[in-house]
Amino acid sequence: MREFGRRRRGLVAAAAVPPVLTAVLNTQTERLDLSSQVLIYLVAVVAIARLCGMLAALVSAIWASVLLDYYFISPVHTFRIAGANDVIALTAFVIVAITVASVVEYSGKAAAEAAQLEAADRMRTALLTAVSHDLRAPLAAARAAVDTLRDPQFDLAAADRAELLGAAHASLSRLSRLVEDLLDMSRLQSGALKPHLEPVAVAEVVPRAIDDVPAAAGRVNVTAVPARTPVALADGALLERVLANLIGNAAKHTASPIEISVERKEDRAQVEVRVIDHGPGIPAADRERVFRPFQRLGDRDNAAGVGLGLALARGLTEAMGGTLLPEDTPGGGLTMVVAVPAGPATEPLATEQPDTGQPAAEPQAAAPLEGPDR
């Protein structure tokens, strides 16, 4: 869609710029000779190629050559060319314009590819760092527990065996979430993740997201959802993952209750979900940094994860056409504001939900995203 818009703007520029330039040059015929006029047209074609692509440059070059012939090459106001030098000048203009435009187009694509390769290289380096530090910790813990269980020299009581099995299960679950997050970040950055947008009742997604975060059990208060709150146009599974990550992130940084509110923003045709905590918050200077992959604030051990949680949450939200922004909580703390487009007015409206400290569980809960980011 972006490339189509660029192409359309390019064709408009290719059609409009040469006539405008012709009108300006037509007032300067006594000051400028044909070679100067050709060079000015050439600059315009190169600019169009740089900004709008090769197709627009080709159209503008042909269009400019026609205008040059008609208005500036003797005899003027005809398409005949009297002098051989003028034929050479016009032919050279077309060849040089197309050649330079193609070089400009190629250099632009090469620069874009170089930027992508640089970004991929940074991601590869960060991924290797994550594998060497963060992923090895849960793998080592799980292996140590399993090795102890398998060792015949240990006569373990049933309670000890259960504890070791629990530790191995927890470590492998964390490892699974880390790998899933890394794969999802890779899919986001490559553009392979395509959300399935449909009308979603946010009041139904919030309880499932809370149930995905055992660490927040009994600590989440959901403000009553207004009865006239519209459905959101979103991917229900992705929205659940976003909210589960934000809830889990808040639960790791504050022991106080976490509040969730849902409201309608009529002026922006959006549905907003606010995840509110009263913890230490994030300094204003660091608020954008925590949304970058592999970024964590402060000194943390490997149990804190690889720093993908908030980066994934924002990426998934933006993939659905929404936004994720941090705000100060009045009185101290952090509020994460998830805004997604509201669904069509003809869709059913969300029903009002009562306040609850821990909403009832729903089946098929998605796994929460890994890792705090502040």
Side-chain angles (χ1 to χ4, degrees):
M1 183 64 69
R2 182 178 301 175
E3 181 62 26
F4 175 77
R6 179 173 180 257
R7 185 179 303 173
R8 182 175 60 184
R9 292 192 300 271
L11 292 177
V12 171
V17 170
V20 172
L21 192 56
T22 300
V24 174
L25 293 177
N26 217 16
T27 65
Q28 304 295 322
T29 53
E30 295 182 358
R31 297 183 179 181
L32 302 175
D33 58 13
L34 181 60
S35 60
S36 298
Q37 293 161 345
V38 168
L39 289 175
I40 293 173
Y41 275 109
L42 183 60
V43 170
V45 173
V46 171
I48 290 174
R50 180 66 183 88
L51 298 175
C52 306
M54 184 61 190
L55 178 61
L58 181 61
V59 172
S60 64
I62 296 173
W63 185 210
S65 66
V66 171
L67 294 173
L68 264 171
D69 181 15
Y70 190 80
Y71 285 99
F72 302 110
I73 295 179
S74 180
V76 296
H77 300 158
T78 70
F79 291 106
R80 291 185 296 109
I81 302 177
N85 289 334
D86 294 339
V87 174
I88 294 174
L90 186 61
T91 303
F93 164 75
V94 175
I95 294 174
V96 172
I98 294 175
T99 302
V100 173
S102 63
V103 171
V104 171
E105 172 78 359
Y106 175 78
S107 64
K109 290 182 178 179
E113 291 176 359
Q116 290 179 350
L117 289 174
E118 184 180 356
D121 186 63
R122 288 197 302 268
M123 174 61 72
R124 189 181 301 110
T125 301
L127 178 59
L128 290 174
T129 301
V131 170
S132 62
H133 293 285
D134 297 272
L135 299 184
R136 289 173 62 184
L139 182 61
R143 181 173 179 175
V146 172
D147 287 346
T148 302
L149 288 168
R150 295 183 60 205
D151 195 328
Q153 68 176 334
F154 291 108
D155 185 15
L156 299 173
D160 294 332
R161 295 179 64 84
E163 183 178 352
L164 287 171
L165 285 172
H169 181 269
S171 296
L172 292 174
S173 296
R174 177 168 170 255
L175 181 63
S176 176
R177 291 195 298 270
L178 286 171
V179 172
E180 184 178 359
D181 285 354
L182 290 168
L183 292 176
D184 282 344
M185 180 57 66
S186 175
R187 292 170 62 201
L188 271 175
Q189 294 198 338
S190 66
L193 193 150
K194 304 295 183 183
H196 176 62
L197 302 181
E198 59 183 355
V200 173
V202 179
E204 298 176 1
V205 176
V206 171
R208 295 201 300 267
I210 296 173
D211 289 336
D212 292 342
V213 189
R219 297 172 50 195
V220 182
N221 298 319
V222 182
T223 303
V225 180
R228 301 300 296 176
T229 300
V231 294
L233 190 61
D235 185 310
L238 296 186
L239 182 59
E240 180 181 336
R241 293 193 68 192
V242 169
L243 296 179
N245 175 70
L246 297 178
I247 294 168
N249 198 61
K252 290 180 177 73
H253 293 92
T254 177
S256 60
I258 300 166
E259 303 167 17
I260 298 180
S261 66
V262 181
E263 58 185 85
R264 175 182 189 177
K265 292 295 180 181
E266 296 185 10
D267 56 333
R268 297 193 294 269
Q270 291 179 323
V271 177
E272 274 190 3
V273 184
R274 293 174 171 265
V275 180
I276 305 165
D277 70 52
H278 300 278
I282 299 178
D286 293 324
R287 287 187 180 173
E288 285 305 310
R289 184 162 69 88
V290 297
F291 289 106
R292 300 173 191 167
F294 305 103
Q295 294 290 321
R296 295 181 303 216
L297 295 186
D299 295 325
R300 297 187 178 278
D301 57 24
N302 288 339
V306 297
L308 282 179
L310 291 181
L312 264 177
R314 173 171 278 186
L316 294 175
T317 303
E318 291 178 349
M320 295 184 286
T323 59
L324 171 57
L325 298 172
E327 294 181 357
D328 286 325
T329 299
L334 184 72
T335 297
M336 287 291 188
V337 184
V338 180
V340 290
T346 55
E347 296 293 339
L349 299 177
T351 57
E352 184 166 352
Q353 301 291 322
D355 289 340
T356 175
Q358 176 63 25
E362 293 283 343
Q364 304 298 327
L369 299 179
E370 171 68 22
D373 295 86
R374 46 180 168 125

